[in-house]
Amino acid sequence: MKLIPFKKKKQKKIGLALGSGSARGWAHIGVLRALTEAGVKIDYIAGTSIGALVGAVFASDKIEILNETVLQLEWKSILNFVDITFPKSGLIDGKKVLDSMQDLVEGKNIDQLSIPFCAISTNLATGSEVILKDGNILDAIRSSISVPGIFIPVRKGEMILVDGALVNPVPVNVVREMGADFVIAVNLNYDIIEQRGNIKNPLLNSQDQSLKADSSSPIIKNRLLTGLNKKVRGIEIPAINQISQWLGKDMMPNIFDILVTSISIMEAQITNFRLISEPPDLLIQPKLGHIKSLEFNRAKEAIAEGYKEMKSLLPLLPSR
Protein backbone atom coordinates (compact mmCIF):
# COMPACT_ATOMS: atom_id res chain seq x y z
CA MET A 1 0.00 0.00 0.00
CA LYS A 2 1.49 3.29 -1.11
CA LEU A 3 1.25 6.09 1.41
CA ILE A 4 0.38 9.52 0.06
CA PRO A 5 2.29 12.21 1.93
CA PHE A 6 0.10 14.72 3.72
CA LYS A 7 0.30 18.19 2.20
CA LYS A 8 -0.36 21.06 4.49
CA LYS A 9 -2.98 23.40 3.05
CA LYS A 10 -1.40 26.61 1.87
CA GLN A 11 -2.50 29.56 3.94
CA LYS A 12 -3.97 32.45 2.05
CA LYS A 13 -2.03 35.69 2.09
CA ILE A 14 -4.31 38.43 3.42
CA GLY A 15 -4.10 41.95 2.05
CA LEU A 16 -5.73 45.08 3.38
CA ALA A 17 -6.93 47.94 1.14
CA LEU A 18 -7.49 50.99 3.37
CA GLY A 19 -9.62 53.64 1.71
CA SER A 20 -9.73 57.41 1.72
CA GLY A 21 -12.19 59.43 3.78
CA SER A 22 -10.41 62.18 5.72
CA ALA A 23 -11.63 62.23 9.36
CA ARG A 24 -13.64 59.06 8.81
CA GLY A 25 -10.26 57.35 8.36
CA TRP A 26 -9.87 56.86 12.10
CA ALA A 27 -12.29 53.96 11.59
CA HIS A 28 -9.33 52.08 10.11
CA ILE A 29 -7.86 51.95 13.62
CA GLY A 30 -10.96 50.09 14.83
CA VAL A 31 -10.80 47.68 11.89
CA LEU A 32 -7.15 46.91 12.60
CA ARG A 33 -7.86 46.43 16.31
CA ALA A 34 -10.57 43.87 15.57
CA LEU A 35 -8.26 41.98 13.21
CA THR A 36 -5.38 42.05 15.68
CA GLU A 37 -7.56 40.79 18.56
CA ALA A 38 -8.72 37.92 16.34
CA GLY A 39 -5.12 36.98 15.60
CA VAL A 40 -5.43 37.74 11.89
CA LYS A 41 -2.04 38.29 10.29
CA ILE A 42 -1.96 40.98 7.62
CA ASP A 43 0.54 40.20 4.86
CA TYR A 44 0.12 43.29 2.64
CA ILE A 45 -1.28 46.80 3.03
CA ALA A 46 -2.14 49.39 0.38
CA GLY A 47 -3.63 52.68 1.48
CA THR A 48 -5.04 55.80 -0.09
CA SER A 49 -4.97 59.20 1.64
CA ILE A 50 -5.91 58.72 5.33
CA GLY A 51 -5.74 54.98 4.62
CA ALA A 52 -2.08 55.41 3.68
CA LEU A 53 -1.39 57.29 6.90
CA VAL A 54 -3.04 54.71 9.19
CA GLY A 55 -1.66 51.80 7.18
CA ALA A 56 1.89 53.12 7.39
CA VAL A 57 1.62 53.57 11.16
CA PHE A 58 0.27 50.01 11.54
CA ALA A 59 3.14 48.67 9.43
CA SER A 60 5.49 50.62 11.71
CA ASP A 61 4.03 48.81 14.77
CA LYS A 62 2.85 52.11 16.29
CA ILE A 63 -0.90 51.86 15.83
CA GLU A 64 -1.62 51.94 19.58
CA ILE A 65 0.26 55.23 19.91
CA LEU A 66 -1.76 56.68 17.02
CA ASN A 67 -4.95 55.44 18.70
CA GLU A 68 -4.10 57.21 21.95
CA THR A 69 -3.11 60.37 20.09
CA VAL A 70 -6.25 60.76 18.00
CA LEU A 71 -8.56 60.06 20.94
CA GLN A 72 -7.15 63.18 22.58
CA LEU A 73 -7.72 65.43 19.57
CA GLU A 74 -9.93 68.45 20.06
CA TRP A 75 -10.79 71.04 17.44
CA LYS A 76 -8.31 73.52 18.93
CA SER A 77 -5.44 71.02 18.86
CA ILE A 78 -6.25 70.10 15.26
CA LEU A 79 -5.77 73.72 14.27
CA ASN A 80 -2.18 73.49 15.53
CA PHE A 81 -1.43 71.08 12.68
CA VAL A 82 -2.71 73.53 10.08
CA ASP A 83 0.04 75.70 8.61
CA ILE A 84 -2.05 78.05 6.48
CA THR A 85 -0.28 79.57 3.52
CA PHE A 86 -1.57 81.16 0.37
CA PRO A 87 0.49 80.09 -2.61
CA LYS A 88 -1.04 79.39 -5.98
CA SER A 89 -1.26 75.63 -5.38
CA GLY A 90 -2.80 75.02 -1.94
CA LEU A 91 -3.97 76.49 1.36
CA ILE A 92 -1.96 74.27 3.72
CA ASP A 93 1.76 73.54 3.53
CA GLY A 94 1.56 70.20 5.37
CA LYS A 95 4.89 70.41 7.20
CA LYS A 96 3.26 70.37 10.65
CA VAL A 97 1.32 67.23 9.76
CA LEU A 98 4.55 65.50 8.72
CA ASP A 99 6.35 66.68 11.84
CA SER A 100 3.63 65.10 13.97
CA MET A 101 4.17 61.79 12.15
CA GLN A 102 7.93 61.61 12.71
CA ASP A 103 7.80 59.59 15.92
CA LEU A 104 5.17 57.22 14.54
CA VAL A 105 7.17 56.10 11.50
CA GLU A 106 10.67 56.97 12.80
CA GLY A 107 11.84 58.33 9.45
CA LYS A 108 11.79 54.87 7.90
CA ASN A 109 11.79 53.99 4.24
CA ILE A 110 8.92 51.88 2.97
CA ASP A 111 11.12 48.81 2.53
CA GLN A 112 11.97 48.92 6.25
CA LEU A 113 8.38 48.48 7.41
CA SER A 114 7.36 45.22 9.07
CA ILE A 115 4.59 44.64 6.48
CA PRO A 116 4.88 45.23 2.71
CA PHE A 117 3.16 48.56 2.11
CA CYS A 118 2.12 50.87 -0.75
CA ALA A 119 0.61 54.35 -0.74
CA ILE A 120 -1.53 55.57 -3.62
CA SER A 121 -1.21 59.02 -5.14
CA THR A 122 -2.30 60.74 -8.35
CA ASN A 123 -0.08 62.33 -10.99
CA LEU A 124 -1.77 65.68 -11.52
CA ALA A 125 -0.25 66.11 -14.98
CA THR A 126 -1.49 62.81 -16.43
CA GLY A 127 -4.32 61.81 -14.12
CA SER A 128 -2.70 58.42 -13.66
CA GLU A 129 -2.45 56.34 -10.50
CA VAL A 130 0.96 56.40 -8.83
CA ILE A 131 1.90 53.51 -6.54
CA LEU A 132 4.51 54.57 -3.99
CA LYS A 133 6.29 51.41 -2.83
CA ASP A 134 9.78 52.64 -2.02
CA GLY A 135 11.52 55.71 -0.64
CA ASN A 136 10.76 57.74 2.46
CA ILE A 137 7.50 56.81 4.16
CA LEU A 138 6.67 60.38 5.20
CA ASP A 139 7.02 61.57 1.61
CA ALA A 140 4.67 58.80 0.49
CA ILE A 141 2.07 59.71 3.11
CA ARG A 142 2.29 63.41 2.29
CA SER A 143 1.80 62.67 -1.42
CA SER A 144 -1.19 60.43 -0.79
CA ILE A 145 -3.05 62.87 1.51
CA SER A 146 -2.59 65.97 -0.66
CA VAL A 147 -6.23 66.94 -1.14
CA PRO A 148 -6.31 69.31 -4.15
CA GLY A 149 -6.85 72.92 -3.16
CA ILE A 150 -6.22 72.17 0.52
CA PHE A 151 -2.66 70.80 0.62
CA ILE A 152 0.18 71.97 -1.60
CA PRO A 153 0.98 69.14 -4.07
CA VAL A 154 4.20 67.16 -3.75
CA ARG A 155 6.85 67.19 -6.47
CA LYS A 156 8.53 63.82 -7.10
CA GLY A 157 10.92 63.93 -10.03
CA GLU A 158 8.88 65.26 -12.93
CA MET A 159 5.57 64.33 -11.31
CA ILE A 160 3.24 66.59 -9.33
CA LEU A 161 1.45 64.33 -6.85
CA VAL A 162 -1.93 64.86 -5.17
CA ASP A 163 -4.46 62.77 -3.24
CA GLY A 164 -4.70 59.20 -4.52
CA ALA A 165 -8.46 59.25 -3.93
CA LEU A 166 -8.91 61.09 -7.23
CA VAL A 167 -8.23 57.84 -9.08
CA ASN A 168 -8.29 54.95 -6.60
CA PRO A 169 -10.06 55.61 -3.27
CA VAL A 170 -9.96 51.94 -2.15
CA PRO A 171 -6.88 50.28 -3.74
CA VAL A 172 -8.09 46.69 -4.05
CA ASN A 173 -6.17 46.12 -7.29
CA VAL A 174 -2.91 47.31 -5.79
CA VAL A 175 -2.95 45.03 -2.76
CA ARG A 176 -3.92 42.09 -4.99
CA GLU A 177 -0.98 42.85 -7.28
CA MET A 178 1.27 42.88 -4.21
CA GLY A 179 0.48 39.19 -3.75
CA ALA A 180 -2.67 39.00 -1.62
CA ASP A 181 -4.88 35.93 -2.12
CA PHE A 182 -7.67 37.36 0.02
CA VAL A 183 -8.35 41.12 0.03
CA ILE A 184 -10.16 42.95 2.80
CA ALA A 185 -11.23 46.40 1.61
CA VAL A 186 -12.40 49.24 3.86
CA ASN A 187 -14.72 51.75 2.20
CA LEU A 188 -15.30 54.81 4.38
CA ASN A 189 -17.55 56.74 2.01
CA TYR A 190 -20.41 54.49 1.02
CA ASP A 191 -23.15 56.34 2.93
CA ILE A 192 -21.93 59.94 2.84
CA ILE A 193 -24.18 61.00 -0.04
CA GLU A 194 -27.23 59.55 1.71
CA GLN A 195 -26.33 61.39 4.91
CA ARG A 196 -25.79 64.68 3.07
CA GLY A 197 -29.30 64.30 1.69
CA ASN A 198 -30.72 64.10 5.21
CA ILE A 199 -29.54 67.60 6.08
CA LYS A 200 -32.55 69.87 5.69
CA ASN A 201 -30.64 72.99 4.69
CA PRO A 202 -27.20 72.12 3.26
CA LEU A 203 -26.46 75.79 2.54
CA LEU A 204 -26.25 76.76 6.20
CA ASN A 205 -22.63 77.62 6.90
CA SER A 206 -20.77 76.09 9.83
CA GLN A 207 -21.13 79.17 12.02
CA ASP A 208 -24.93 79.20 11.58
CA GLN A 209 -25.05 75.48 12.38
CA SER A 210 -23.11 75.93 15.61
CA LEU A 211 -25.66 78.49 16.80
CA LYS A 212 -28.71 76.39 15.93
CA ALA A 213 -27.68 72.90 17.01
CA ASP A 214 -26.43 71.26 20.16
CA SER A 215 -23.98 68.36 20.21
CA SER A 216 -26.76 65.80 19.76
CA SER A 217 -28.31 67.49 16.71
CA PRO A 218 -27.97 66.00 13.19
CA ILE A 219 -26.41 69.33 12.21
CA ILE A 220 -23.51 69.39 14.63
CA LYS A 221 -21.09 72.10 15.64
CA ASN A 222 -17.99 72.44 13.48
CA ARG A 223 -15.63 74.74 15.29
CA LEU A 224 -12.71 73.45 13.26
CA LEU A 225 -14.05 75.05 10.09
CA THR A 226 -14.64 78.30 11.95
CA GLY A 227 -11.05 78.22 13.20
CA LEU A 228 -9.73 77.56 9.71
CA ASN A 229 -11.73 80.49 8.42
CA LYS A 230 -10.18 82.77 11.05
CA LYS A 231 -6.70 81.59 10.10
CA VAL A 232 -7.36 82.36 6.44
CA ARG A 233 -8.71 85.81 7.30
CA GLY A 234 -5.55 86.54 9.30
CA ILE A 235 -3.18 86.22 6.34
CA GLU A 236 -1.99 89.60 5.07
CA ILE A 237 -2.37 88.99 1.34
CA PRO A 238 -4.52 91.22 -0.90
CA ALA A 239 -6.50 88.31 -2.32
CA ILE A 240 -7.62 87.36 1.19
CA ASN A 241 -10.01 90.33 1.29
CA GLN A 242 -12.16 88.70 -1.35
CA ILE A 243 -11.94 85.26 0.27
CA SER A 244 -12.96 86.77 3.61
CA GLN A 245 -16.08 88.13 1.94
CA TRP A 246 -16.86 84.66 0.56
CA LEU A 247 -16.40 83.10 4.00
CA GLY A 248 -18.67 85.66 5.60
CA LYS A 249 -21.74 85.24 3.40
CA ASP A 250 -24.60 83.79 5.42
CA MET A 251 -26.22 81.29 3.11
CA MET A 252 -23.22 79.74 1.37
CA PRO A 253 -20.90 76.94 2.52
CA ASN A 254 -17.32 78.05 3.17
CA ILE A 255 -14.33 77.31 0.96
CA PHE A 256 -13.07 74.36 3.04
CA ASP A 257 -16.49 72.74 3.16
CA ILE A 258 -16.92 73.15 -0.61
CA LEU A 259 -13.53 71.65 -1.47
CA VAL A 260 -13.59 68.70 0.90
CA THR A 261 -17.27 67.83 0.47
CA SER A 262 -17.02 67.98 -3.32
CA ILE A 263 -14.04 65.63 -3.31
CA SER A 264 -15.78 63.27 -0.86
CA ILE A 265 -18.80 63.00 -3.16
CA MET A 266 -16.51 62.32 -6.11
CA GLU A 267 -14.62 59.68 -4.12
CA ALA A 268 -17.85 57.90 -3.24
CA GLN A 269 -18.88 57.70 -6.90
CA ILE A 270 -15.45 56.50 -8.07
CA THR A 271 -15.36 53.94 -5.27
CA ASN A 272 -18.69 52.46 -6.32
CA PHE A 273 -17.49 51.94 -9.89
CA ARG A 274 -14.10 50.51 -8.90
CA LEU A 275 -15.51 48.09 -6.33
CA ILE A 276 -17.79 46.68 -9.03
CA SER A 277 -14.94 46.19 -11.51
CA GLU A 278 -12.36 45.14 -8.88
CA PRO A 279 -14.33 43.51 -6.04
CA PRO A 280 -12.53 42.57 -2.83
CA ASP A 281 -13.08 39.23 -1.10
CA LEU A 282 -14.47 41.00 1.96
CA LEU A 283 -15.85 44.54 1.98
CA ILE A 284 -15.99 46.51 5.24
CA GLN A 285 -18.31 49.54 5.14
CA PRO A 286 -18.59 51.30 8.51
CA LYS A 287 -21.53 53.67 8.86
CA LEU A 288 -19.68 56.99 8.96
CA GLY A 289 -21.77 59.37 6.88
CA HIS A 290 -22.63 61.45 9.95
CA ILE A 291 -18.95 62.38 10.41
CA LYS A 292 -17.81 65.27 8.24
CA SER A 293 -14.51 65.17 6.43
CA LEU A 294 -12.72 67.64 8.72
CA GLU A 295 -14.11 66.39 12.04
CA PHE A 296 -10.89 64.68 13.12
CA ASN A 297 -11.91 65.28 16.74
CA ARG A 298 -14.60 62.58 16.45
CA ALA A 299 -12.08 59.74 16.53
CA LYS A 300 -13.83 57.79 19.28
CA GLU A 301 -17.00 57.41 17.20
CA ALA A 302 -15.13 56.50 14.02
CA ILE A 303 -12.89 53.93 15.72
CA ALA A 304 -15.85 52.30 17.46
CA GLU A 305 -17.80 52.02 14.20
CA GLY A 306 -14.83 50.50 12.36
CA TYR A 307 -14.28 47.99 15.16
CA LYS A 308 -17.95 46.99 15.30
CA GLU A 309 -18.22 46.47 11.54
CA MET A 310 -15.03 44.42 11.27
CA LYS A 311 -15.90 42.36 14.34
CA SER A 312 -19.26 41.36 12.85
CA LEU A 313 -17.59 40.11 9.66
CA LEU A 314 -14.69 38.16 11.18
CA PRO A 315 -16.42 34.79 10.56
CA LEU A 316 -16.12 35.45 6.80
CA LEU A 317 -12.32 35.47 6.88
CA PRO A 318 -10.44 32.39 5.60
CA SER A 319 -9.21 29.97 8.24
CA ARG A 320 -5.48 30.19 8.85
Side-chain angles (χ1 to χ4, degrees), residues 200-264:
K200 293 181 179 180
N201 189 350
L203 292 181
L204 282 175
N205 66 22
S206 59
Q207 290 175 320
D208 292 330
Q209 293 172 11
S210 67
L211 291 173
K212 295 185 179 182
D214 58 28
S215 59
S216 63
S217 170
I219 301 177
I220 64 174
K221 296 179 181 180
N222 200 332
R223 293 170 177 165
L224 175 58
L225 285 175
T226 303
L228 287 171
N229 293 342
K230 289 179 179 177
K231 280 202 169 193
V232 169
R233 290 192 188 101
I235 304 174
E236 295 298 328
I237 298 177
I240 290 299
N241 292 331
Q242 180 61 55
I243 291 180
S244 294
Q245 293 177 31
W246 297 340
L247 294 174
K249 290 186 181 297
D250 287 339
M251 292 303 290
M252 287 295 289
N254 60 60
I255 186 171
F256 297 100
D257 219 3
I258 291 170
L259 284 170
V260 178
T261 301
S262 298
I263 291 172
S264 294

Side-chain angles (χ1 to χ4, degrees), residues 44-313:
Y44 306 98
I45 299 176
T48 297
S49 200
I50 190 70
L53 187 155
V54 176
V57 174
F58 182 75
S60 300
D61 302 316
K62 297 291 182 68
I63 195 67
E64 286 305 319
I65 297 176
L66 178 63
N67 178 71
E68 293 172 8
T69 301
V70 301
L71 286 175
Q72 296 173 28
L73 286 177
E74 297 178 349
W75 68 273
K76 288 182 179 179
S77 60
I78 295 169
L79 284 174
N80 292 331
F81 295 114
V82 178
D83 39 4
I84 291 284
T85 181
F86 202 77
K88 60 184 178 180
S89 54
L91 291 171
I92 299 173
D93 181 81
K95 186 177 184 301
K96 289 184 179 180
V97 175
L98 291 189
D99 288 345
S100 70
M101 294 289 298
Q102 284 284 357
D103 292 339
L104 292 173
V105 299
E106 298 177 339
K108 292 180 180 178
N109 286 336
I110 292 176
D111 59 8
Q112 296 175 297
L113 297 175
S114 61
I115 302 172
F117 170 81
C118 287
I120 314 305
S121 190
T122 303
N123 185 344
L124 191 60
T126 64
S128 59
E129 173 182 298
V130 177
I131 302 172
L132 302 167
K133 53 187 176 181
D134 53 36
N136 183 270
I137 186 63
L138 284 176
D139 292 342
I141 293 171
R142 176 66 178 81
S143 300
S144 190
I145 68 172
S146 294
V147 179
I150 301 292
F151 283 99
I152 298 174
V154 174
R155 183 181 293 275
K156 184 177 176 65
E158 296 182 356
M159 296 186 295
I160 303 296
L161 301 180
V162 294
D163 194 341
L166 296 183
V167 291
N168 198 353
V170 186
V172 174
N173 63 314
V174 176
V175 77
R176 209 178 284 285
E177 289 166 7
M178 292 172 73
D181 303 306
F182 188 96
V183 176
I184 304 169
V186 185
N187 173 22
L188 305 174
N189 298 315
Y190 91 104
D191 67 339
I192 62 169
I193 296 176
E194 174 187 341
Q195 289 292 329
R196 294 294 179 269
N198 289 334
I199 297 176
K200 293 181 179 180
N201 189 350
L203 292 181
L204 282 175
N205 66 22
S206 59
Q207 290 175 320
D208 292 330
Q209 293 172 11
S210 67
L211 291 173
K212 295 185 179 182
D214 58 28
S215 59
S216 63
S217 170
I219 301 177
I220 64 174
K221 296 179 181 180
N222 200 332
R223 293 170 177 165
L224 175 58
L225 285 175
T226 303
L228 287 171
N229 293 342
K230 289 179 179 177
K231 280 202 169 193
V232 169
R233 290 192 188 101
I235 304 174
E236 295 298 328
I237 298 177
I240 290 299
N241 292 331
Q242 180 61 55
I243 291 180
S244 294
Q245 293 177 31
W246 297 340
L247 294 174
K249 290 186 181 297
D250 287 339
M251 292 303 290
M252 287 295 289
N254 60 60
I255 186 171
F256 297 100
D257 219 3
I258 291 170
L259 284 170
V260 178
T261 301
S262 298
I263 291 172
S264 294
I265 292 170
M266 178 197 67
E267 287 177 23
Q269 301 289 12
I270 294 172
T271 300
N272 289 339
F273 285 113
R274 293 207 64 149
L275 288 177
I276 291 171
S277 61
E278 299 161 353
D281 300 287
L282 181 60
L283 181 59
I284 313 300
Q285 298 193 125
K287 297 175 178 63
L288 301 164
H290 60 290
I291 298 178
K292 290 186 177 181
S293 297
L294 296 178
E295 291 180 326
F296 290 95
N297 54 311
R298 299 181 71 180
K300 185 176 181 179
E301 298 169 62
I303 292 170
E305 184 59 36
Y307 179 85
K308 181 179 74 173
E309 193 68 17
M310 184 69 252
K311 192 85 170 175
S312 69
L313 296 175

